[in-house]
Amino acid sequence: MKIDGVAYRSVWVDLDDGWSVRIFDQTRLPWSVEILRLTNEGEVAHAIRSMQVRGAPLIGAVAAFGLALALRRDASDETLESVAAMLGATRPTAINLRWALARMLAELRPVPPARRAEAAYAAADAIAEDDVETCRAIGQHGLPLLQAIAARKPGKPINVLTHCNTGWIATVDYGTALSVIYQAHDAGLPVHVWVDETRPRNQGSALTAWELGKHGVPHTVIADNAGGHLMQHGEVDIVLVGTDRVTRQGDVANKIGTYLKALAAHDNKVPFWVALPHSTLDMSVRDGLREIPIEERAAEEVLTVTGRTEDGRVETVRTAAPGSAGANPAFDVTPARLVTGLITERGRCDASEAGLLKLYPEFAAGKDAA
Ligand code: MRU
């Protein structure tokens, strides 16, 4: 994807700078575009925890590069195992993090320490490349959904509602749900996006709106509570979201508030589709409500809001009454029965075990990793 005409990915290695890892500092967007240089596993862990880097597929890829950075310093078995465990514990809900690290471990355990660092960069690079191709294919498989809506209402905008940020900045490139939107826009469809602001961290109003704006996609930021009203008045043709983990029975964990959108969509017969790469599938769990760990973040994120003042300063101000406590569950689970379907790199399917197994038959025998 491009920023002001320059093509970027969301993570890359700077070969001229000691093989350091580069990411955009997403806590600075949309106010300034700042590139961070990560040189060791501690910096990578901090970037993931503090959400300088975020989005389920991207934290997996960045963690893989973090392991490669650690192995340049010390390629022993002990470092391989302990750094993978440390990076895997940085955020609990997105399965992509553990998927990427498990894939790294499986590739690197048999490699002799003398060749491990080099092999680790190659393995991390393969994960990043896989994500790019996967996200591109998700967009292709989602496109017919928007083409069908366009055919039903010629000359009128296709109104898509989305939650959180599922764009190229949340993946290595293209995005998941936003990949569908970008490809529809690029194909000439008149897409308009309702962007949920996505409190408490505002990934919608800060990141999704920024990305869509840079790509020229018409969009409107709305309060998180507005979606139901818009659906009741026929202003939403489809809800498209991403996910941090999909279970064997098709339950979907995603940014807090997604479940409420699914309920409103169900009540108003608005299709609710979820876009995911294979790295987001967790076939080892069934019941998302009981089995997916939900990240609890700092209450301060709820009690405050960060933005730019008229004179250009980025400031955090308190919006809650002094002394009030806050609670901050960062994700929720939408049961499969509220999900119209899943969009993957292999095609679309029902949000069910049977649907997933049609696309991913390799899991039929009870295997739990793609
Ligand atoms: O807490 P975040 O910003 O990392 O949460 C991200 C999301 O919930 C996205 O919707 C999700 O990762 C799926 S798409 C990339």
Side-chain angles (χ1 to χ4, degrees):
M1 286 290 167
K2 290 183 177 168
I3 304 175
D4 300 331
V6 181
Y8 286 98
R9 285 189 174 174
S10 301
V11 58
W12 68 98
V13 174
D14 191 337
L15 300 177
D16 297 330
D17 181 33
W19 293 58
S20 62
V21 173
R22 300 299 179 109
I23 56 166
F24 292 100
D25 184 347
Q26 299 195 32
T27 64
R28 306 296 298 167
L29 290 169
W31 305 292
S32 58
V33 178
E34 294 177 22
I35 293 171
L36 285 178
R37 174 174 176 264
L38 306 175
T39 59
N40 60 55
E41 68 273 23
E43 289 172 359
V44 169
H46 171 75
I48 296 172
R49 265 193 228 103
S50 65
M51 294 177 64
Q52 287 172 323
V53 73
R54 48 148 295 284
L58 184 59
I59 59 176
V62 172
F65 281 114
L67 190 54
L69 283 171
L71 294 174
R72 291 188 70 225
R73 173 179 53 76
D74 172 10
S76 65
D77 288 358
E78 196 188 18
T79 295
L80 175 66
E81 301 295 335
S82 65
V83 171
M86 183 276 287
L87 290 169
T90 47
R91 293 192 74 189
T93 302
I95 195 64
N96 313 62
L97 186 61
R98 268 164 292 285
W99 169 84
L101 290 165
R103 182 165 149 168
M104 293 290 284
L105 285 175
E107 284 207 28
L108 297 174
R109 278 182 184 133
V111 175
R115 292 200 294 106
R116 257 191 198 148
E118 192 189 337
Y121 273 99
D125 203 47
I127 286 172
E129 290 300 326
D130 174 290
D131 190 60
V132 173
E133 184 45 36
T134 294
C135 288
R136 195 196 59 75
I138 288 171
Q140 285 295 300
H141 289 298
L143 181 58
L145 297 172
L146 300 194
Q147 285 169 329
I149 295 168
R152 279 204 314 271
K153 44 186 300 204
K156 298 212 173 113
I158 305 166
N159 289 307
V160 182
L161 185 142
T162 194
H163 193 67
C164 196
N165 170 261
T166 66
W168 68 270
I169 198 82
T171 61
V172 180
D173 206 349
Y174 292 103
T176 57
L178 283 201
S179 177
V180 179
I181 289 167
Y182 287 134
Q183 293 191 42
H185 173 82
D186 291 352
L189 297 184
V191 185
H192 164 261
V193 186
W194 296 112
V195 179
D196 281 352
E197 61 177 346
T198 319
R199 279 285 287 152
R201 292 187 66 99
N202 288 334
Q203 288 96 327
S205 54
L207 303 174
T208 301
W210 175 76
E211 275 196 36
L212 292 173
K214 291 285 175 203
H215 201 85
V217 181
H219 62 279
T220 308
V221 176
I222 53 173
D224 286 326
N225 309 325
H229 166 79
L230 293 172
M231 290 185 215
Q232 286 175 322
H233 290 273
E235 299 283 348
V236 180
D237 295 306
I238 187 170
V239 180
L240 281 181
V241 296
T243 167
D244 293 76
R245 196 185 298 215
V246 171
T247 70
R248 197 171 186 97
Q249 68 185 22
D251 294 342
V252 168
N254 192 44
K255 181 53 55 194
I256 192 76
T258 303
Y259 168 55
L260 290 176
K261 295 300 167 302
L263 282 174
H266 190 256
D267 195 42
N268 291 283
K269 300 188 175 41
V270 172
F272 182 95
W273 284 83
V274 178
L276 70 141
H278 61 89
S279 54
T280 303
L281 271 179
D282 184 356
M283 296 297 262
S284 72
V285 297
R286 279 182 181 278
D287 181 342
L289 270 176
R290 285 171 194 272
E291 295 179 90
I292 298 179
I294 299 296
E295 178 178 11
E296 188 71 36
R297 294 189 62 87
E300 279 303 290
E301 293 182 351
V302 176
L303 302 173
T304 62
V305 70
T306 300
R308 188 169 64 181
T309 61
E310 287 295 321
D311 59 359
R313 284 170 294 122
V314 175
E315 290 199 348
T316 299
V317 296
R318 186 158 291 264
T319 51
S324 292
N328 190 7
F331 297 91
D332 60 26
V333 173
T334 299
R337 67 186 159 78
L338 297 176
V339 178
T340 308
L342 305 173
I343 309 165
T344 81
E345 75 282 358
R346 294 192 190 174
R348 299 190 301 277
C349 69
D350 288 344
S352 66
E353 181 169 14
L356 283 166
L357 290 180
K358 263 190 212 148
L359 294 183
Y360 298 95
E362 64 269 35
F363 288 119
K367 289 160 75 178
D368 59 20

